[in-house]
Amino acid sequence: MRSNVKKGFSRRGFLEICGLGTTGLLVRQSLLGDMAWAAPGDPKFFLLVYFSGGWDQLLALDPRNAKDPAYQLAAAKAAGGSGIYPMYEESAALDPAMDATMNATTQGAQTRTGVQQAGNLTFGPAVPSSLTTHAPSLAIVRGMSMDTLTHEVGRRYLITGKFPRGLSASGSSINTVVVGQTGSTLDLPNLAINVESYNETFPAFASAVNVQNSAAVRTVLTPQAVTSPLSAAAETRLMNFQHTDDSCEAHGLNANGLVKTFRDSQDQARQMTNPAKAALFNFAYPAPNTDVSDVFTAFGIDSAAKINTPLGTAALAAQAITTGVSQVVAVQLMNGLDDHFDLAGQQSISLRQGFDALGKLISRLKAVTVPGTAKSFWDCTTLLCFSEFARTPMVNGRDGRDHHLASSCLVAGPGIQGNQVIGATSNKGMGAQKVNLNTGLVDDTGGSLVHPSDVHATLLTSMGLSASGLSNQSPKIIQKLLKP
């Protein structure tokens, strides 16, 4: 059953997300000039979920049948062999939860294959049921060519959809693009939790507020004490002066946009302070109020220790969206995946924790209704879940995996067709394969390699937003991902 939205997120606040508050057309002043966006029919929320370090796709989004003779260690290592070794049994020996999952995986007469079937999707044995239960609304993009084996480059490529300049990000983060084009007026419209974020072309209000935990969110929302605060009347007069176009300071300093940038930053600072909502993020155990206890219950947070786990981080992301504080959240749900040796056990445990948190985050968004609508927050949320690249399909001499070019991502949204897999990796070496973008099937002759820019352009298109900022990447739309 869906619960009512938390107090503090009014119908008016919901309409502000859509740009429907008064005129039906939202206009923002920016360094690019007057920017206007037609009011969309539905609110648009966005989740960018990052698993740091490079994930093992055999354990997660691109599994192989561990009972297949081609994927046994000797056959995989042999000349002309598959070069793919799932290593499921070694991991299961050190991970009881994975061992239980292995027992439940079958294919024909074979047992302990490690491949979980959920609708039309398949998952590896490190993905828990808390996520696989959402398969009908999820889509997996496999064989995504990352074009890099460098952590910084891969991460920033998938955050912005544009290949970096050296190690430096190019373009704006997709979370910034969403807020910049929709013009959200929420308290912290673009919240980044342990995820780097960029703003290359949009005004200050679209920039991410970067935090590490709930305490940082409270600090941002709470006005800082001053010795002699201005009266309300003086504050109003100051704001009116600062927004006078024909002022001396504007004539003297705004040739390069300096005054405009300063004003936008001041407006954003005023907008962010909302002490009434700070209590929504008082994440302590026992929960100090019903707003916090409600979200703790949804995420199974029953001790102080769990607040500082992926569950606590996912709860923070959910709270920001469902209480009307943020329209967009970028969140790191797992780190420490860059393990090149003795991989068995730990990678599966880490992945499961991250995917469990994501599954519970989706469940929370499904349970809460957007004010003024009959839709849940999940009905209005677009998702991109990724890591900077994958791990090699063959173990190295240290029983670990190194960096691999072909990766996968998980996507969803109101404009995304779920319950499907787009593309594939090869059965020798798990290389990226060309895909027919209209069918989603492998097409070695007429297909195209899928890149992060294609995923970004497709997600933005699914939201009714522009992907023009990716034009120098020549992105292609993955038509099969879009709902008809």
Side-chain angles (χ1 to χ4, degrees):
M1 177 182 296
R2 291 180 186 171
S3 64
N4 291 326
V5 73
K6 297 281 192 298
K7 62 186 178 183
F9 190 10
S10 65
R11 176 178 173 81
R12 179 177 181 180
F14 155 71
L15 293 175
E16 286 175 340
I17 299 173
C18 304
L20 296 172
T22 52
T23 64
L25 186 69
L26 178 65
V27 179
R28 283 271 190 179
Q29 296 287 330
S30 78
L31 297 178
L32 303 178
D34 289 351
M35 302 177 71
W37 298 279
D42 288 320
K44 302 180 190 298
F45 300 98
F46 189 82
L47 262 177
L48 185 72
V49 177
Y50 173 45
F51 281 56
S52 174
W55 50 16
D56 184 344
Q57 289 301 278
L58 287 164
L59 288 168
L61 304 182
D62 196 357
R64 293 296 192 278
N65 180 353
K67 295 296 185 180
D68 189 317
Y71 305 136
Q72 305 305 304
L73 182 58
K77 291 174 63 177
S82 67
I84 301 173
Y85 181 52
M87 203 169 66
Y88 294 161
E89 293 295 353
E90 289 90 333
S91 295
L94 299 173
D95 179 1
M98 181 168 165
D99 187 60
T101 301
M102 289 289 290
N103 285 333
T105 57
T106 63
Q107 186 171 323
Q110 295 178 324
T111 59
R112 293 181 67 88
T113 64
V115 179
Q116 301 185 80
Q117 189 77 40
N120 295 326
L121 306 183
T122 54
F123 296 93
V127 181
S129 60
S130 53
L131 181 63
T132 61
T133 190
H134 300 298
S137 60
L138 302 175
I140 297 173
V141 179
R142 289 179 179 153
M144 181 171 59
S145 180
M146 290 306 305
D147 303 321
T148 183
L149 296 176
T150 305
H151 289 283
E152 296 86 352
V153 175
R155 177 172 63 249
R156 290 160 191 164
Y157 194 5
L158 265 160
I159 287 175
T160 67
K162 299 179 72 172
F163 200 80
R165 309 178 187 98
L167 295 181
S168 300
S170 175
S172 299
S173 310
I174 189 170
N175 43 312
T176 301
V177 173
V178 172
V179 173
Q181 290 195 39
T182 56
S184 173
T185 58
L186 298 183
D187 300 290
L188 307 177
N190 184 0
L191 183 67
I193 308 170
N194 292 311
V195 178
E196 58 193 62
S197 190
Y198 302 93
N199 186 350
E200 190 169 274
T201 57
F202 292 96
F205 79 90
S207 296
V209 175
N210 295 279
V211 300
Q212 292 76 44
N213 49 41
S214 58
V217 176
R218 293 199 309 276
T219 298
V220 173
L221 289 173
T222 304
Q224 301 303 298
V226 294
T227 304
S228 301
L230 293 175
S231 67
E235 180 78 13
T236 299
R237 287 194 294 271
L238 177 61
M239 289 179 64
N240 289 339
F241 167 74
Q242 289 173 344
H243 288 81
T244 300
D245 290 333
D246 191 28
S247 66
C248 292
E249 62 174 348
H251 283 299
L253 300 173
N254 204 38
N256 61 358
L258 179 62
V259 171
K260 190 68 188 67
T261 300
F262 174 71
R263 288 176 177 172
D264 283 343
S265 298
Q266 283 194 322
D267 286 343
Q268 185 184 31
R270 287 190 179 99
Q271 178 179 307
M272 288 184 335
T273 54
N274 190 336
K277 289 186 178 177
L280 299 171
F281 300 92
N282 191 3
F283 279 22
Y285 194 85
N289 56 61
T290 55
D291 294 306
V292 174
S293 63
D294 187 29
V295 74
F296 276 12
T297 299
F299 283 85
I301 298 174
D302 53 11
S303 68
K306 287 188 178 180
I307 296 174
N308 296 318
T309 68
L311 287 176
T313 305
L316 175 58
Q319 190 80 325
I321 291 177
T322 60
T323 59
V325 169
S326 301
Q327 179 191 2
V328 167
V329 174
V331 57
Q332 181 183 143
L333 285 185
M334 181 48 61
N335 57 21
L337 296 176
D338 189 31
D339 192 348
H340 293 260
F341 55 92
D342 295 332
L343 191 67
Q346 188 54 53
Q347 179 91 190
S348 65
I349 293 170
S350 296
L351 286 172
R352 184 178 301 102
Q353 290 176 348
F355 284 123
D356 180 52
L358 175 58
K360 287 182 170 62
L361 173 51
I362 294 172
S363 293
R364 180 61 176 170
L365 295 180
K366 285 183 175 181
V368 182
T369 303
V370 179
T373 79
K375 295 186 175 184
S376 73
F377 277 88
W378 178 246
D379 292 332
C380 305
T381 298
T382 299
L383 166 74
L384 171 59
C385 177
F386 72 96
S387 190
E388 55 260 48
F389 42 64
R391 315 305 299 182
T392 51
M394 195 65 218
V395 292
N396 57 32
R398 298 163 293 179
D399 291 328
R401 302 189 193 275
D402 300 315
H403 299 179
H404 190 58
L405 288 172
S407 192
S408 305
C409 64
L410 193 66
V411 298
I416 296 296
Q417 186 66 52
N419 195 30
Q420 63 172 334
V421 175
I422 303 296
T425 52
S426 62
N427 288 327
K428 281 197 174 184
M430 291 185 73
Q433 295 190 276
K434 292 182 177 180
V435 179
N436 182 315
L437 302 180
N438 292 314
T439 67
L441 302 176
V442 171
D443 183 350
D444 290 330
T445 56
S448 304
L449 288 176
V450 173
H451 297 87
S453 54
D454 305 323
V455 175
H456 274 235
T458 303
L459 291 178
L460 290 170
T461 298
S462 78
M463 299 178 74
L465 302 177
S466 171
S468 60
L470 305 173
S471 59
N472 68 339
Q473 303 292 294
S474 301
K476 302 177 181 65
I477 302 299
I478 308 171
Q479 295 292 342
K480 190 63 170 62
L481 271 180
L482 300 176
K483 283 185 177 177

